[in-house]
Amino acid sequence: MVAAREAFLDGDHYRPLRSTITALAAEHAPRPSRLVVDLVGGTGHYLSPVLDALPISWGLTVDLSAAALRRASRTHQRAAALAADVWGPLPLARRTAGVVLSVFGPRNIAEIDRILDADGILVLATAGPEHLQELRDRLGMIGVDPRKTDRLRHALAGFTPIVEDTVRWRLALQHDEVRALAAMGPGSHHLDVGQRERAVDALPDLTGITAVINVAVLRRRR
Ligand SMILES: C[S@@+](CC[C@H](N)C(=O)[O-])C[C@H]1O[C@@H](n2cnc3c(N)ncnc32)[C@H](O)[C@@H]1O
């Protein structure tokens, strides 16, 4: 999954999301900039440009996957990587992070609240209901739980959104790129490899796919 994620993201297919996250972090991060924590940061794809935009910040990717962390630790000179389960207490002191990135994956709001500095920001990215809709049924990928938005809103009751945006773009993917996209997330487990291969082979040479990601910047309510 990590190799597929790296291969797919290196193709720059999620550039609109990466640029949006970078711009929002640069615009709203507290000054002087402090630690940027990328929770379930995977290969560090989103952390690296944020560190470029915040030249005196240090970055930390937190993830459970050693394969992802190895890549994340090499992604930027000012980035380190830490193995931890985000559902447990994070080995970080209270109020240490100026910016927390939470891009897909699980999120533990109580721990985000604890590590975020008083004026710190949380940059959140979640898949919208139509995200990758053309591939979901055909490739057996997990859909977005319709109750997720309400659950998240409830969990984030202690935060105020200062920006809410939807990033929507179209991907034009060849078969290998569709394979990597399907293999890089948990949805890849719903079809066996043979079924997925046959489903990809049945696609046109170039498939148009919708990407829809909800992005928000939040601050703790004072
Ligand atoms: C969908 S990927 C997102 C990675 C990255 N944010 C990105 O968009 O490229 C989810 C990541 O969550 C990590 N993960 C899943 N459960 C976790 C947990 N309980 N604690 C820490 N990391 C976890 C996986 O190893 C994986 O790297």
Side-chain angles (χ1 to χ4, degrees), residues 18 43-49 51-52 61 69-80:
R18 202 182 194 209
T43 57
H45 184 73
Y46 299 97
L47 177 63
S48 169
L51 290 178
D52 282 338
T61 299
L69 290 171
R70 263 195 299 277
R71 290 162 165 90
S73 66
R74 290 194 297 257
T75 193
H76 199 283
Q77 270 194 327
R78 281 177 278 120

Side-chain angles (χ1 to χ4, degrees), residues 5 9 40-42 45-46 63-65 68 84-87 103-106:
R5 177 163 290 273
L9 293 176
V40 303
H45 184 73
Y46 299 97
D63 204 282
L64 262 186
S65 156
D85 182 349
V86 295
W87 290 123
V103 183
F104 310 128

Side-chain angles (χ1 to χ4, degrees), residues 109-128:
I109 304 296
E111 274 300 276
I112 292 174
D113 189 24
R114 188 183 64 78
I115 65 168
L116 205 53
D117 209 347
D119 56 352
I121 57 163
L122 166 62
V123 182
L124 196 70
T126 56

Side-chain angles (χ1 to χ4, degrees), residues 25-68:
E27 203 175 328
H28 297 282
R31 300 290 194 275
S33 53
R34 273 155 268 164
L35 182 67
V36 180
V37 179
D38 190 1
L39 286 178
V40 303
T43 57
H45 184 73
Y46 299 97
L47 177 63
S48 169
V50 169
L51 290 178
D52 282 338
L54 299 174
I56 56 166
S57 280
W58 291 80
L60 181 66
T61 299
V62 178
D63 204 282
L64 262 186
S65 156

